[in-house]
Amino acid sequence: MSMLDDVPGLRCAGEVLHNYVPFPYRHILGRAAGCSAEAYGCKVLSYQVKDVQRPAGQRENFLRTLHHDHGFQVLYLRRDNLVRHALSNIRARRETFHRKKSDPDGEPTALHVDPDRVMEWMRSSQALRRYEETLLTDVPHLSLTYEEHIRHADDHQTTVDLVCDVLGIASGPVESSYRKVAPASLRDRVANYEELARRLDGTPYAKYLDEDEGSNYASA
């Protein structure tokens, strides 16, 4: 969101459906109508459509209605590495995970995790991904992954240019106001890494421990 908000003609709100609202469509359209920029965007998480808003009889058609009836373009961002995604969610609930550039620097600490809790997060993510596929049925969208389009700073400008091309607005230089503070290596990120690796051994999730660790910073 912070990357796209750097574009002069685009204003991006955060999770506008984080809390229950009686009329989610009107809520989004009202925010868009109050935006003075050329284009308006907001962040909608699948669990918010499924479990928070619960628009009666409209959940599976939520994105379809926004696109076909109200002209919204859908950008679908997901994370491929379910282990990293689970760790991000766990850490985010314990501390401030994404910091502003102006915040004091500090060495990120390794996270001690319950391996079974990590498994629960990954299974939940897979279930939500299946639900997202339902939401996206017959909905044109731009598919993006964190690993390919956001994780590495060198990809940020290309990603923003791609999104702006889809939206039909002029792009701009990226200077994101947020950065990742967690260490890159999973061995460095997890204090009890060996315990986690033993729990995942023999499961479909073990493969995520072997992926290239890559860069240690990226925009939120």
Side-chain angles (χ1 to χ4, degrees):
M1 299 302 296
S2 60
M3 288 165 52
L4 295 178
D5 207 38
D6 285 335
V7 177
L10 178 60
R11 288 295 170 266
C12 291
E15 298 175 22
V16 298
L17 298 181
H18 182 270
N19 298 316
Y20 174 77
V21 293
F23 306 103
Y25 290 117
R26 293 184 185 179
H27 185 68
I28 292 177
L29 294 174
R31 284 177 169 267
C35 177
S36 60
E38 182 180 359
Y40 167 85
C42 62
K43 186 175 182 179
V44 175
L45 301 185
S46 53
Y47 87 88
Q48 295 168 356
V49 177
K50 180 175 179 289
D51 300 322
V52 178
Q53 302 304 326
R54 306 185 302 278
Q58 300 178 15
R59 282 182 292 186
E60 281 66 35
N61 293 321
F62 192 78
L63 294 182
R64 192 178 301 113
T65 298
L66 282 177
H67 174 73
H68 290 295
D69 295 355
H70 303 295
F72 276 81
Q73 300 297 322
V74 178
L75 313 177
Y76 177 43
L77 175 65
R78 67 186 188 280
R79 291 189 69 149
D80 284 336
N81 189 310
L82 294 180
V83 171
R84 286 181 172 273
H85 194 190
L87 295 175
S88 295
N89 283 318
I90 292 170
R91 181 181 287 273
R93 281 154 179 76
R94 296 189 190 178
E95 60 187 70
T96 303
F97 187 38
H98 297 290
R99 298 180 180 177
K100 292 183 179 180
K101 287 181 177 178
S102 58
D103 290 344
D105 289 333
E107 289 296 327
T109 58
L111 192 67
H112 189 284
V113 298
D114 177 352
D116 287 332
R117 182 63 173 149
V118 175
M119 290 285 290
E120 290 174 9
W121 271 109
M122 290 189 290
R123 288 166 179 157
S124 176
S125 293
Q126 285 188 310
L128 280 176
R129 186 167 298 180
R130 290 191 291 269
Y131 178 64
E132 289 159 4
E133 292 173 355
T134 300
L135 292 176
L136 290 166
T137 301
D138 297 326
V139 179
H141 60 276
L142 175 63
S143 184
L144 305 166
T145 66
Y146 171 83
E147 290 81 1
E148 180 180 356
H149 297 94
I150 295 180
R151 183 179 179 190
H152 303 289
D154 290 345
D155 296 322
H156 292 179
Q157 187 66 61
T158 302
T159 298
V160 170
D161 292 345
L162 174 63
V163 170
C164 288
D165 184 59
V166 169
L167 298 179
I169 63 175
S171 185
V174 174
E175 189 175 338
S176 177
S177 57
Y178 284 81
R179 60 185 175 82
K180 201 75 163 288
V181 297
S185 170
L186 286 176
R187 289 184 179 273
D188 293 335
R189 290 187 62 180
V190 182
N192 56 327
Y193 175 85
E194 296 301 335
E195 181 185 5
L196 176 62
R198 286 194 298 271
R199 178 64 180 87
L200 300 186
D201 187 36
T203 74
Y205 307 116
K207 63 182 180 181
Y208 297 118
L209 297 176
D210 299 327
E211 293 185 356
D212 175 38
E213 300 302 339
S215 173
N216 68 345
Y217 61 95
S219 171

Coordinates of all heavy atoms in Angstrom, one line a residue, residues 42-127:
C42 N -8.0 0.5 -2.0 CA -8.0 0.1 -0.6 C -7.7 -1.4 -0.4 O -7.7 -2.1 -1.4 CB -9.4 0.4 0.0 SG -10.8 -0.5 -0.7
K43 N -7.4 -1.8 0.8 CA -6.9 -3.1 1.0 C -8.1 -3.9 1.6 O -8.7 -3.5 2.6 CB -5.8 -3.1 2.0 CG -5.1 -4.5 2.2 CD -3.9 -4.3 3.1 CE -3.2 -5.6 3.4 NZ -2.0 -5.4 4.2
V44 N -8.4 -5.1 1.0 CA -9.5 -5.9 1.5 C -9.0 -7.3 1.7 O -8.4 -7.9 0.7 CB -10.7 -6.0 0.5 CG1 -11.8 -7.0 1.0 CG2 -11.3 -4.6 0.3
L45 N -9.0 -7.8 2.9 CA -8.5 -9.2 3.1 C -9.7 -10.2 3.1 O -10.8 -9.8 3.4 CB -7.9 -9.2 4.5 CG -6.7 -8.3 4.7 CD1 -6.1 -8.6 6.1 CD2 -5.7 -8.5 3.6
S46 N -9.4 -11.4 2.6 CA -10.5 -12.3 2.4 C -11.2 -12.7 3.6 O -12.5 -12.9 3.6 CB -9.9 -13.6 1.7 OG -8.8 -14.1 2.5
Y47 N -10.5 -12.8 4.8 CA -11.2 -13.2 6.0 C -12.2 -12.1 6.4 O -13.2 -12.3 7.1 CB -10.2 -13.5 7.1 CG -9.8 -12.2 7.9 CD1 -10.5 -11.8 9.0 CD2 -8.7 -11.5 7.5 CE1 -10.1 -10.7 9.8 CE2 -8.3 -10.4 8.3 CZ -9.0 -10.0 9.4 OH -8.6 -8.9 10.1
Q48 N -11.9 -10.8 6.0 CA -12.8 -9.7 6.4 C -14.1 -9.8 5.6 O -15.2 -9.5 6.1 CB -12.1 -8.4 6.1 CG -10.9 -8.1 7.0 CD -10.1 -7.0 6.5 OE1 -10.3 -6.4 5.5 NE2 -9.0 -6.7 7.3
V49 N -14.1 -10.3 4.4 CA -15.3 -10.5 3.6 C -16.1 -11.7 4.2 O -17.3 -11.7 4.4 CB -15.0 -10.8 2.1 CG1 -16.2 -11.1 1.3 CG2 -14.3 -9.6 1.5
K50 N -15.3 -12.8 4.5 CA -15.9 -14.0 5.0 C -16.5 -14.0 6.4 O -17.6 -14.4 6.7 CB -14.9 -15.1 4.8 CG -15.4 -16.5 5.3 CD -14.3 -17.5 5.0 CE -14.7 -18.9 5.4 NZ -14.7 -19.1 6.9
D51 N -15.7 -13.4 7.3 CA -16.0 -13.5 8.7 C -16.3 -12.2 9.4 O -17.0 -12.3 10.5 CB -14.8 -14.2 9.5 CG -14.5 -15.5 9.0 OD1 -15.4 -16.3 8.6 OD2 -13.3 -15.9 8.9
V52 N -15.9 -11.1 8.9 CA -16.2 -9.8 9.6 C -17.4 -9.1 9.0 O -18.3 -8.7 9.7 CB -15.0 -8.9 9.5 CG1 -15.3 -7.5 10.2 CG2 -13.7 -9.5 10.1
Q53 N -17.5 -8.9 7.7 CA -18.6 -8.2 7.1 C -19.8 -9.1 6.9 O -20.9 -8.7 7.1 CB -18.1 -7.6 5.7 CG -17.0 -6.6 5.9 CD -17.2 -5.5 6.9 OE1 -18.3 -5.0 7.0 NE2 -16.2 -5.1 7.6
R54 N -19.6 -10.3 6.4 CA -20.6 -11.3 6.1 C -21.8 -10.7 5.4 O -23.0 -10.8 5.9 CB -21.1 -11.8 7.5 CG -20.0 -12.4 8.3 CD -20.6 -13.1 9.6 NE -21.3 -12.2 10.4 CZ -20.8 -11.4 11.3 NH1 -19.5 -11.3 11.4 NH2 -21.5 -10.6 12.0
P55 N -21.6 -10.0 4.3 CA -22.8 -9.5 3.5 C -23.7 -10.6 3.1 O -23.3 -11.5 2.3 CB -22.1 -8.8 2.3 CG -20.8 -9.5 2.2 CD -20.3 -9.8 3.5
A56 N -24.9 -10.6 3.6 CA -25.8 -11.7 3.4 C -26.0 -12.0 1.9 O -26.4 -11.1 1.1 CB -27.2 -11.3 4.0
G57 N -25.7 -13.2 1.5 CA -25.9 -13.7 0.2 C -25.0 -13.1 -0.9 O -25.2 -13.3 -2.1
Q58 N -24.0 -12.3 -0.4 CA -23.2 -11.6 -1.4 C -21.7 -11.9 -1.2 O -20.9 -11.3 -1.9 CB -23.4 -10.1 -1.2 CG -24.9 -9.6 -1.4 CD -25.0 -8.1 -1.2 OE1 -24.1 -7.4 -1.1 NE2 -26.3 -7.7 -1.1
R59 N -21.3 -12.7 -0.2 CA -19.9 -12.9 0.0 C -19.2 -13.4 -1.2 O -18.1 -12.8 -1.5 CB -19.7 -13.8 1.2 CG -20.0 -13.2 2.5 CD -19.7 -14.1 3.7 NE -20.7 -15.2 3.7 CZ -20.8 -16.1 4.7 NH1 -19.9 -16.1 5.7 NH2 -21.7 -17.1 4.7
E60 N -19.7 -14.4 -1.8 CA -19.0 -15.0 -3.0 C -19.0 -14.0 -4.2 O -18.2 -14.1 -5.1 CB -19.6 -16.3 -3.4 CG -19.1 -17.5 -2.5 CD -19.6 -17.3 -1.1 OE1 -20.7 -16.8 -0.9 OE2 -18.9 -17.7 -0.1
N61 N -19.9 -13.0 -4.2 CA -20.0 -12.1 -5.3 C -19.4 -10.7 -5.0 O -19.5 -9.8 -5.7 CB -21.5 -11.9 -5.7 CG -22.1 -13.1 -6.3 OD1 -21.5 -13.8 -7.0 ND2 -23.3 -13.4 -5.9
F62 N -18.7 -10.6 -3.8 CA -18.2 -9.3 -3.4 C -17.3 -8.6 -4.4 O -17.6 -7.5 -4.8 CB -17.5 -9.5 -2.0 CG -17.3 -8.2 -1.3 CD1 -18.3 -7.6 -0.6 CD2 -16.0 -7.6 -1.3 CE1 -18.1 -6.3 0.0 CE2 -15.8 -6.4 -0.7 CZ -16.9 -5.8 0.0
L63 N -16.2 -9.3 -4.8 CA -15.3 -8.7 -5.7 C -15.9 -8.6 -7.1 O -15.6 -7.6 -7.8 CB -14.0 -9.6 -5.8 CG -13.2 -9.6 -4.5 CD1 -11.9 -10.5 -4.8 CD2 -12.8 -8.3 -4.0
R64 N -16.7 -9.5 -7.5 CA -17.4 -9.4 -8.8 C -18.3 -8.2 -8.9 O -18.3 -7.5 -9.9 CB -18.2 -10.7 -9.0 CG -18.7 -10.9 -10.4 CD -19.5 -12.2 -10.6 NE -18.7 -13.3 -10.3 CZ -18.9 -14.1 -9.2 NH1 -19.9 -13.9 -8.4 NH2 -18.1 -15.1 -9.0
T65 N -19.0 -7.9 -7.8 CA -19.8 -6.7 -7.8 C -19.0 -5.4 -7.8 O -19.3 -4.5 -8.5 CB -20.7 -6.7 -6.5 OG1 -21.6 -7.8 -6.5 CG2 -21.6 -5.4 -6.4
L66 N -17.9 -5.4 -7.0 CA -17.0 -4.2 -7.0 C -16.5 -4.0 -8.4 O -16.4 -2.8 -8.9 CB -15.9 -4.4 -6.0 CG -16.2 -4.1 -4.6 CD1 -15.0 -4.4 -3.7 CD2 -16.7 -2.7 -4.3
H67 N -16.1 -5.0 -9.1 CA -15.5 -4.9 -10.4 C -16.5 -4.6 -11.5 O -16.4 -3.5 -12.2 CB -14.7 -6.1 -10.8 CG -14.2 -6.1 -12.2 ND1 -13.2 -5.3 -12.6 CD2 -14.6 -6.7 -13.4 CE1 -12.9 -5.5 -13.9 NE2 -13.8 -6.3 -14.4
H68 N -17.6 -5.4 -11.6 CA -18.5 -5.3 -12.7 C -19.5 -4.1 -12.6 O -19.9 -3.5 -13.5 CB -19.3 -6.6 -12.9 CG -18.5 -7.7 -13.4 ND1 -17.9 -7.7 -14.7 CD2 -18.1 -8.9 -12.9 CE1 -17.2 -8.8 -14.9 NE2 -17.3 -9.6 -13.8
D69 N -19.9 -3.9 -11.3 CA -20.9 -2.9 -11.1 C -20.4 -1.5 -10.8 O -21.0 -0.5 -11.0 CB -21.9 -3.3 -10.0 CG -22.7 -4.5 -10.3 OD1 -22.6 -5.0 -11.5 OD2 -23.4 -5.0 -9.4
H70 N -19.1 -1.5 -10.2 CA -18.6 -0.2 -9.7 C -17.2 0.2 -10.3 O -16.7 1.2 -9.9 CB -18.5 -0.2 -8.2 CG -19.8 -0.5 -7.5 ND1 -20.9 0.3 -7.6 CD2 -20.2 -1.6 -6.8 CE1 -21.9 -0.2 -6.9 NE2 -21.5 -1.3 -6.4
G71 N -16.7 -0.7 -11.2 CA -15.5 -0.3 -11.9 C -14.2 -0.5 -11.2 O -13.2 0.1 -11.7
F72 N -14.2 -1.2 -10.1 CA -12.9 -1.4 -9.4 C -12.1 -2.4 -10.1 O -12.6 -3.4 -10.7 CB -13.2 -1.9 -8.0 CG -13.4 -0.8 -7.0 CD1 -14.7 -0.2 -6.9 CD2 -12.4 -0.3 -6.2 CE1 -15.0 0.8 -6.0 CE2 -12.7 0.7 -5.3 CZ -14.0 1.3 -5.2
Q73 N -10.7 -2.2 -10.2 CA -9.8 -3.2 -10.7 C -9.3 -3.9 -9.5 O -9.0 -3.4 -8.4 CB -8.6 -2.5 -11.4 CG -9.0 -1.7 -12.6 CD -9.7 -2.5 -13.7 OE1 -9.2 -3.7 -13.9 NE2 -10.7 -2.0 -14.3
V74 N -9.1 -5.2 -9.6 CA -8.7 -6.1 -8.5 C -7.2 -6.5 -8.7 O -6.8 -7.0 -9.7 CB -9.6 -7.4 -8.4 CG1 -9.1 -8.3 -7.3 CG2 -11.0 -7.0 -8.2
L75 N -6.4 -6.2 -7.6 CA -5.1 -6.6 -7.5 C -5.0 -7.7 -6.5 O -5.3 -7.5 -5.3 CB -4.1 -5.5 -7.1 CG -4.3 -4.1 -7.9 CD1 -3.4 -3.1 -7.3 CD2 -4.1 -4.3 -9.3
Y76 N -4.6 -8.9 -6.9 CA -4.6 -10.1 -5.9 C -3.2 -10.4 -5.5 O -2.4 -10.9 -6.3 CB -5.2 -11.3 -6.6 CG -5.2 -12.5 -5.8 CD1 -5.5 -12.5 -4.4 CD2 -4.9 -13.8 -6.4 CE1 -5.5 -13.6 -3.7 CE2 -4.9 -14.9 -5.6 CZ -5.2 -14.9 -4.3 OH -5.2 -16.0 -3.5
L77 N -2.9 -10.0 -4.3 CA -1.5 -10.2 -3.7 C -1.6 -11.4 -2.8 O -2.4 -11.4 -1.8 CB -1.0 -9.0 -3.0 CG 0.3 -9.1 -2.3 CD1 1.4 -9.3 -3.3 CD2 0.6 -7.8 -1.5
R78 N -0.7 -12.3 -2.9 CA -0.6 -13.5 -2.0 C 0.9 -13.8 -1.7 O 1.8 -13.3 -2.4 CB -1.2 -14.7 -2.6 CG -0.5 -15.3 -3.8 CD -1.3 -16.4 -4.5 NE -0.5 -17.0 -5.5 CZ -0.3 -16.5 -6.8 NH1 -0.9 -15.4 -7.1 NH2 0.4 -17.2 -7.7
R79 N 1.1 -14.6 -0.7 CA 2.5 -15.0 -0.4 C 2.5 -16.5 -0.7 O 1.7 -17.3 -0.3 CB 2.8 -14.8 1.1 CG 3.0 -13.4 1.5 CD 3.5 -13.2 2.8 NE 4.9 -13.6 3.0 CZ 5.8 -13.1 3.8 NH1 5.4 -12.1 4.6 NH2 7.0 -13.5 3.9
D80 N 3.6 -16.9 -1.4 CA 3.7 -18.3 -1.8 C 4.3 -19.2 -0.7 O 4.0 -20.3 -0.5 CB 4.6 -18.5 -3.1 CG 3.9 -18.1 -4.3 OD1 2.6 -18.2 -4.3 OD2 4.5 -17.7 -5.3
N81 N 5.2 -18.6 0.1 CA 5.9 -19.3 1.1 C 5.0 -19.3 2.4 O 5.0 -18.3 3.1 CB 7.3 -18.7 1.4 CG 8.1 -19.6 2.4 OD1 7.6 -20.0 3.4 ND2 9.3 -19.9 2.0
L82 N 4.4 -20.4 2.7 CA 3.4 -20.4 3.8 C 4.1 -20.4 5.1 O 3.5 -19.9 6.1 CB 2.5 -21.7 3.7 CG 1.6 -21.8 2.5 CD1 0.8 -23.0 2.5 CD2 0.7 -20.6 2.4
V83 N 5.3 -20.9 5.2 CA 6.1 -20.8 6.5 C 6.4 -19.4 6.9 O 6.1 -18.9 8.0 CB 7.4 -21.6 6.5 CG1 8.2 -21.4 7.7 CG2 7.1 -23.1 6.4
R84 N 6.9 -18.6 5.9 CA 7.2 -17.2 6.1 C 5.9 -16.4 6.4 O 5.9 -15.5 7.3 CB 7.9 -16.6 4.9 CG 9.4 -17.1 4.8 CD 10.0 -16.4 3.6 NE 11.4 -16.7 3.6 CZ 12.3 -15.9 4.2 NH1 12.0 -14.9 4.9 NH2 13.6 -16.2 4.1
H85 N 4.9 -16.8 5.7 CA 3.6 -16.1 6.0 C 3.1 -16.3 7.4 O 2.7 -15.4 8.1 CB 2.5 -16.6 5.0 CG 1.3 -15.7 4.9 ND1 0.2 -16.1 4.2 CD2 1.0 -14.5 5.4 CE1 -0.7 -15.1 4.3 NE2 -0.2 -14.2 5.1
A86 N 3.2 -17.6 7.8 CA 2.8 -17.9 9.2 C 3.6 -17.1 10.2 O 3.1 -16.6 11.2 CB 2.9 -19.4 9.4
L87 N 4.9 -17.1 10.0 CA 5.8 -16.4 10.9 C 5.5 -14.9 11.0 O 5.6 -14.3 12.0 CB 7.3 -16.7 10.6 CG 7.8 -18.1 10.7 CD1 9.2 -18.2 10.2 CD2 7.7 -18.6 12.1
S88 N 5.2 -14.3 9.8 CA 4.9 -12.9 9.7 C 3.6 -12.6 10.6 O 3.6 -11.6 11.3 CB 4.7 -12.5 8.3 OG 5.9 -12.6 7.6
N89 N 2.6 -13.5 10.4 CA 1.4 -13.3 11.2 C 1.6 -13.4 12.7 O 1.1 -12.7 13.5 CB 0.3 -14.3 10.7 CG -0.3 -13.9 9.4 OD1 -0.6 -12.7 9.2 ND2 -0.5 -14.8 8.5
I90 N 2.4 -14.4 13.1 CA 2.7 -14.6 14.5 C 3.5 -13.4 15.1 O 3.2 -12.9 16.1 CB 3.5 -15.9 14.7 CG1 2.6 -17.1 14.3 CG2 4.0 -16.1 16.1 CD1 3.3 -18.5 14.3
R91 N 4.5 -13.0 14.3 CA 5.3 -11.9 14.8 C 4.5 -10.6 14.9 O 4.6 -9.8 15.8 CB 6.5 -11.7 13.9 CG 7.4 -10.5 14.4 CD 8.6 -10.3 13.4 NE 9.6 -11.4 13.6 CZ 10.6 -11.4 14.5 NH1 10.7 -10.3 15.3 NH2 11.5 -12.3 14.5
A92 N 3.6 -10.4 13.9 CA 2.8 -9.2 13.9 C 1.9 -9.0 15.1 O 1.5 -7.9 15.5 CB 2.0 -9.1 12.6
R93 N 1.5 -10.2 15.6 CA 0.6 -10.1 16.8 C 1.4 -10.0 18.1 O 0.8 -9.9 19.2 CB -0.2 -11.4 16.8 CG -1.4 -11.3 15.8 CD -1.9 -12.6 15.3 NE -3.0 -12.4 14.4 CZ -2.9 -12.0 13.2 NH1 -1.7 -11.7 12.7 NH2 -3.9 -11.8 12.4
R94 N 2.7 -10.0 18.0 CA 3.5 -9.9 19.2 C 4.3 -8.5 19.3 O 4.6 -8.1 20.4 CB 4.6 -11.0 19.3 CG 4.0 -12.4 19.4 CD 5.1 -13.4 19.7 NE 4.6 -14.7 19.6 CZ 5.4 -15.8 19.7 NH1 6.7 -15.7 20.0 NH2 4.9 -17.0 19.6
E95 N 4.5 -7.9 18.2 CA 5.3 -6.7 18.2 C 5.0 -5.9 16.9 O 4.3 -6.3 16.0 CB 6.8 -7.0 18.3 CG 7.3 -7.8 17.1 CD 8.7 -8.2 17.3 OE1 9.0 -9.1 18.1 OE2 9.6 -7.7 16.5
T96 N 5.5 -4.7 16.9 CA 5.4 -3.9 15.7 C 6.4 -4.4 14.6 O 7.6 -4.3 14.7 CB 5.8 -2.4 16.0 OG1 4.9 -1.9 17.0 CG2 5.6 -1.6 14.7
F97 N 5.8 -5.0 13.6 CA 6.6 -5.7 12.6 C 7.1 -4.8 11.5 O 8.2 -4.9 11.0 CB 5.7 -6.9 12.0 CG 6.5 -7.8 11.1 CD1 7.8 -8.2 11.4 CD2 5.9 -8.3 10.0 CE1 8.5 -9.0 10.5 CE2 6.5 -9.2 9.1 CZ 7.8 -9.5 9.4
H98 N 6.2 -3.9 11.0 CA 6.6 -3.0 10.0 C 6.8 -1.6 10.6 O 6.0 -1.1 11.3 CB 5.6 -2.9 8.9 CG 5.3 -4.2 8.2 ND1 6.3 -4.7 7.4 CD2 4.3 -5.0 8.2 CE1 5.8 -5.9 6.9 NE2 4.6 -6.1 7.4
R99 N 8.0 -1.0 10.4 CA 8.3 0.2 11.1 C 8.5 1.4 10.0 O 8.9 1.1 8.9 CB 9.6 0.1 11.8 CG 9.6 -0.9 13.0 CD 10.9 -0.9 13.7 NE 10.9 -1.9 14.7 CZ 12.0 -2.2 15.5 NH1 13.2 -1.6 15.2 NH2 11.9 -3.1 16.5
K100 N 8.1 2.6 10.4 CA 8.3 3.7 9.6 C 9.8 4.0 9.5 O 10.6 3.7 10.4 CB 7.6 4.9 10.1 CG 6.1 4.8 9.9 CD 5.4 6.1 10.4 CE 3.9 6.0 10.3 NZ 3.2 7.2 10.7
K101 N 10.3 4.6 8.5 CA 11.7 5.0 8.3 C 12.1 5.9 9.5 O 13.3 5.9 9.9 CB 11.9 5.7 7.0 CG 11.9 4.8 5.8 CD 12.2 5.6 4.5 CE 12.2 4.7 3.3 NZ 12.4 5.4 2.1
S102 N 11.2 6.7 10.0 CA 11.6 7.6 11.1 C 11.7 6.9 12.4 O 12.2 7.5 13.4 CB 10.5 8.7 11.2 OG 9.2 8.2 11.4
D103 N 11.2 5.7 12.6 CA 11.3 5.0 13.8 C 12.8 4.6 14.1 O 13.6 4.4 13.2 CB 10.5 3.7 13.8 CG 9.0 4.0 13.8 OD1 8.6 5.2 14.1 OD2 8.2 3.1 13.4
P104 N 13.1 4.6 15.4 CA 14.5 4.2 15.8 C 14.8 2.8 15.3 O 14.0 1.9 15.3 CB 14.5 4.2 17.3 CG 13.3 5.1 17.7 CD 12.3 4.9 16.6
D105 N 16.1 2.6 14.9 CA 16.5 1.3 14.4 C 16.7 0.4 15.6 O 17.1 0.8 16.7 CB 17.8 1.4 13.6 CG 17.6 2.1 12.3 OD1 16.5 2.0 11.7 OD2 18.5 2.7 11.7
G106 N 16.5 -0.9 15.4 CA 16.7 -1.8 16.4 C 17.0 -3.2 15.8 O 16.4 -3.5 14.8
E107 N 17.8 -4.0 16.5 CA 18.0 -5.3 16.0 C 16.8 -6.2 16.2 O 16.4 -6.4 17.3 CB 19.3 -5.9 16.7 CG 20.6 -5.3 16.3 CD 20.9 -5.5 14.8 OE1 20.5 -6.6 14.3 OE2 21.5 -4.6 14.2
P108 N 16.3 -6.8 15.1 CA 15.1 -7.7 15.3 C 15.6 -9.0 16.1 O 16.7 -9.5 15.9 CB 14.7 -8.0 13.9 CG 15.9 -7.8 13.1 CD 16.7 -6.7 13.7
T109 N 14.7 -9.4 16.9 CA 15.1 -10.6 17.7 C 14.4 -11.9 17.1 O 13.4 -11.8 16.4 CB 14.5 -10.5 19.1 OG1 13.1 -10.3 19.1 CG2 15.2 -9.3 19.8
A110 N 15.1 -13.0 17.3 CA 14.6 -14.3 16.8 C 13.3 -14.6 17.5 O 13.1 -14.3 18.7 CB 15.6 -15.4 17.0
L111 N 12.4 -15.2 16.8 CA 11.1 -15.5 17.3 C 11.0 -17.0 17.8 O 11.4 -17.9 17.0 CB 10.1 -15.3 16.2 CG 8.6 -15.3 16.5 CD1 8.3 -14.1 17.4 CD2 7.8 -15.2 15.2
H112 N 10.6 -17.2 19.0 CA 10.4 -18.6 19.5 C 8.9 -19.0 19.2 O 8.0 -18.3 19.7 CB 10.7 -18.7 21.0 CG 10.7 -20.1 21.5 ND1 9.6 -20.9 21.7 CD2 11.7 -21.0 21.8 CE1 9.9 -22.1 22.1 NE2 11.2 -22.2 22.1
V113 N 8.7 -20.0 18.5 CA 7.3 -20.3 18.0 C 6.9 -21.7 18.5 O 7.8 -22.6 18.7 CB 7.2 -20.2 16.5 CG1 7.5 -18.8 16.0 CG2 8.2 -21.3 15.8
D114 N 5.6 -21.9 18.6 CA 5.0 -23.2 18.8 C 4.9 -23.9 17.4 O 4.1 -23.4 16.6 CB 3.7 -23.1 19.5 CG 3.0 -24.4 19.7 OD1 3.5 -25.4 19.1 OD2 2.0 -24.4 20.4
P115 N 5.6 -24.9 17.1 CA 5.5 -25.5 15.7 C 4.1 -25.9 15.3 O 3.7 -25.7 14.2 CB 6.4 -26.8 15.8 CG 7.4 -26.4 16.8 CD 6.6 -25.6 17.9
D116 N 3.3 -26.3 16.3 CA 1.9 -26.7 16.0 C 1.1 -25.4 15.6 O 0.2 -25.5 14.8 CB 1.2 -27.4 17.2 CG 1.7 -28.8 17.4 OD1 2.1 -29.4 16.4 OD2 1.7 -29.3 18.5
R117 N 1.4 -24.3 16.3 CA 0.7 -23.0 15.9 C 1.1 -22.6 14.5 O 0.2 -22.1 13.8 CB 1.2 -22.0 16.9 CG 0.5 -20.6 16.7 CD -1.0 -20.7 16.9 NE -1.7 -19.4 16.9 CZ -2.9 -19.2 16.5 NH1 -3.6 -20.3 16.0 NH2 -3.4 -18.0 16.5
V118 N 2.3 -22.8 14.1 CA 2.8 -22.5 12.7 C 2.0 -23.3 11.8 O 1.5 -22.9 10.7 CB 4.3 -22.7 12.6 CG1 4.7 -22.5 11.1 CG2 5.1 -21.8 13.5
M119 N 1.8 -24.6 12.1 CA 1.0 -25.5 11.2 C -0.4 -25.0 11.1 O -1.0 -25.0 10.0 CB 1.0 -26.9 11.8 CG 2.3 -27.6 11.7 SD 2.7 -28.2 10.0 CE 1.5 -29.5 9.9
E120 N -1.0 -24.6 12.2 CA -2.4 -24.0 12.2 C -2.5 -22.8 11.3 O -3.5 -22.7 10.5 CB -2.8 -23.7 13.6 CG -3.0 -24.8 14.5 CD -3.4 -24.4 15.9 OE1 -3.6 -23.2 16.1 OE2 -3.4 -25.2 16.8
W121 N -1.5 -21.9 11.3 CA -1.5 -20.8 10.5 C -1.5 -21.1 9.0 O -2.2 -20.6 8.1 CB -0.4 -19.8 10.8 CG -0.7 -18.8 11.9 CD1 -0.2 -18.8 13.2 CD2 -1.5 -17.7 11.7 NE1 -0.7 -17.7 13.8 CE2 -1.5 -17.0 13.0 CE3 -2.3 -17.2 10.7 CZ2 -2.3 -15.8 13.2 CZ3 -3.0 -16.0 10.9 CH2 -3.0 -15.4 12.2
M122 N -0.6 -22.1 8.7 CA -0.5 -22.5 7.3 C -1.7 -23.2 6.7 O -2.1 -22.9 5.6 CB 0.8 -23.4 7.1 CG 2.1 -22.7 7.3 SD 3.5 -23.7 6.9 CE 3.5 -24.9 8.3
R123 N -2.3 -24.0 7.6 CA -3.6 -24.6 7.1 C -4.7 -23.6 6.9 O -5.5 -23.7 6.0 CB -4.0 -25.7 8.2 CG -3.1 -26.9 8.1 CD -3.3 -27.8 9.4 NE -2.5 -29.0 9.3 CZ -2.2 -29.7 10.4 NH1 -2.6 -29.3 11.6 NH2 -1.4 -30.8 10.3
S124 N -4.7 -22.6 7.8 CA -5.7 -21.5 7.7 C -5.4 -20.7 6.4 O -6.4 -20.4 5.7 CB -5.6 -20.6 8.9 OG -6.5 -19.5 8.8
S125 N -4.2 -20.5 6.1 CA -3.8 -19.7 4.9 C -4.3 -20.5 3.7 O -4.8 -19.9 2.7 CB -2.3 -19.5 4.8 OG -1.9 -18.6 5.9
Q126 N -4.1 -21.8 3.7 CA -4.5 -22.6 2.5 C -6.0 -22.6 2.4 O -6.5 -22.5 1.2 CB -4.0 -24.0 2.7 CG -2.5 -24.2 2.4 CD -2.1 -25.7 2.4 OE1 -2.5 -26.4 3.3 NE2 -1.4 -26.1 1.4
A127 N -6.7 -22.6 3.5 CA -8.2 -22.6 3.4 C -8.7 -21.2 2.9 O -9.6 -21.2 2.0 CB -8.8 -22.8 4.8

